[in-house]
Amino acid sequence: MKFSMTEKQLTGLEARIQQAGKGGEQDAARSWLKANPGLAEKWAPVGDSKGKSGAKGVMNN
């Protein structure tokens, strides 16, 4: 599977991670995903009724 980001998305994510500092990278990425709804699902679609999972688990951690 392949995904892409716009320059604005990438620089926004990088800035959020840099601002968070050491140890805060994961929280920064989660925060960025919440501020950019739909992207995680677009990159890793949530599975079907057969129980396959996708990006939804990323947001629930």
Side-chain angles (χ1 to χ4, degrees):
M1 177 177 225
K2 189 164 117 173
F3 74 95
S4 62
M5 297 175 80
T6 66
E7 186 70 25
K8 182 177 179 181
Q9 291 168 337
L10 179 58
T11 57
L13 176 57
E14 289 174 333
R16 182 87 50 117
I17 291 170
Q18 290 297 319
Q19 290 170 353
K22 186 171 175 122
E25 298 92 342
Q26 193 169 31
D27 287 336
R30 285 189 182 116
S31 173
W32 183 87
L33 284 169
K34 286 180 184 179
N36 291 274
L39 288 178
E41 289 79 13
K42 180 180 173 186
W43 296 330
V46 175
D48 57 20
S49 62
K50 295 178 184 174
K52 296 180 182 178
S53 63
K56 191 169 185 127
V58 172
M59 299 302 292
N60 292 332
N61 289 332

